[in-house]
Amino acid sequence: GVEEGRKDGGMERLVELPESLLCELLRKFDTPELLALACTCRKLNEFVGAHVLEPGSEEYRKTKEAFLRQKLNRQRKAQRKANILECEIQDVNREMRTLKEEANELRNQERVDRKLYQEIGRGRSAGIALKTWAPAPVSVWHKKVVEQTPVSVDSRMEDLAAKLKVTKLLLKNVLQRMETKKRKLSVLEESLSSLKRTTPKM
C-alpha cells in the first residue's frame, strides 16, 4: 500500500517521474487514495495540490489538512522514539562509567598484588641467601620481609598467584562487557542520528 511504498523508498522514485506522466498517473487514483498518497511527502502533497486537485476545492483542503495531521503524527512518533533512544544512550553511558571504574579498581588491585608477589619473591631469595651466603651482601629490608611473613613464603606466593589469576579473569570480563556496551552505544547513536535526519521538520 501507500505506507509500504513510503518505507521502501517507492515514493522517492515516484516523484522522479516526468510531471506529465506523474499527473496522468495520479488522476487514476480515487480521492481517499489520493489523500493518503499526498500525505506521504511534501513533494507529492504540493504536486497533488498544484496539478491534480483544484486549488480551493474541498479535496484540496482535505489534502492539506490530512498532510499536516500526518506530518504532526510522524513528528510526535519520532520524538517519542528519540526520547527512548536518548534514555537508552544515557543508561549505556552510565553503565560504561561504572565498568570503567571497576576496571580501574581491578588494575590497581592487580598492580598491588603483583608488586607484593615480587617483593615476597625477593624476600624469599634473601632468605635463601641468608642461609647459604654471608649476610653482608643481603639487604636488611629483604631479611625483614622474610622474618615478618606470618605464613610460609611459598604458601603466601601461591595465594597471591591465585588471586592475580582471578583478578585477571575479572578484568578480562569487565573489558569484554565494556566493548559490548561500546558497540551498543554506537548502534543507538547511529539510530538516533538517522531518526533526526529523516524526521520531518516542524
Side-chain angles (χ1 to χ4, degrees):
V2 171
E3 184 64 20
E4 286 75 12
R6 184 175 67 82
K7 288 181 178 179
D8 66 11
M11 297 308 165
E12 285 75 5
R13 294 193 294 273
L14 185 62
V15 296
E16 292 173 358
L17 293 173
E19 287 190 2
S20 58
L21 180 59
L22 181 58
C23 187
E24 181 180 349
L25 178 64
L26 293 180
R27 289 185 187 280
K28 298 181 183 297
F29 285 71
D30 57 27
T31 301
E33 291 175 335
L34 197 59
L35 291 175
L37 185 65
C39 288
T40 57
C41 73
R42 181 180 296 277
K43 287 184 179 180
L44 277 175
N45 183 268
E46 293 174 349
F47 187 86
V48 168
H51 300 284
V52 183
L53 300 177
E54 293 183 11
S57 66
E58 183 68 12
E59 289 80 7
Y60 180 84
R61 184 184 63 79
K62 287 181 179 179
T63 300
K64 287 293 184 182
E65 290 178 354
F67 174 75
L68 292 175
R69 282 197 304 271
Q70 186 146 333
K71 178 182 177 181
L72 182 60
N73 288 336
R74 290 202 302 270
Q75 288 170 339
R76 288 173 175 170
K77 183 178 179 180
Q79 186 58 54
R80 287 194 295 269
K81 188 173 182 180
N83 291 340
I84 292 172
L85 287 171
E86 287 171 350
C87 288
E88 290 182 1
I89 288 172
Q90 290 177 0
D91 289 341
V92 173
N93 277 321
R94 184 164 50 250
E95 291 168 359
M96 287 183 63
R97 285 195 296 271
T98 300
L99 287 171
K100 186 176 181 180
E101 291 173 0
E102 188 176 345
N104 287 336
E105 290 176 1
L106 288 169
R107 289 191 184 99
N108 290 335
Q109 185 62 53
E110 183 181 17
R111 280 194 292 269
V112 170
D113 290 341
R114 186 175 299 281
K115 182 178 179 181
L116 182 57
Y117 182 88
Q118 293 170 346
E119 289 173 350
I120 292 177
R122 288 195 294 269
R124 182 174 62 177
S125 299
I128 294 173
L130 284 170
K131 294 177 182 178
T132 57
W133 306 329
V138 180
S139 71
V140 175
W141 183 86
H142 281 162
K143 181 178 179 180
K144 288 182 179 179
V145 170
V146 176
E147 294 173 346
Q148 293 174 3
T149 303
V151 295
S152 70
V153 173
D154 289 340
S155 177
R156 180 63 173 147
M157 292 187 73
E158 287 176 3
D159 290 343
L160 282 171
K163 187 177 179 181
L164 278 167
K165 185 176 181 180
V166 172
T167 302
K168 285 182 178 180
L169 290 174
L170 290 173
L171 180 58
K172 182 180 179 181
N173 178 262
V174 170
L175 294 176
Q176 288 174 341
R177 288 161 61 195
M178 285 181 67
E179 287 301 316
T180 301
K181 295 297 180 183
K182 285 180 183 179
R183 289 193 293 270
K184 182 178 180 180
L185 181 62
S186 178
V187 171
L188 289 171
E189 289 176 339
E190 177 56 33
S191 297
L192 181 60
S193 177
S194 176
L195 180 64
K196 289 180 177 180
R197 288 196 303 268
T198 56
T199 301
K201 303 296 183 183
M202 294 293 289

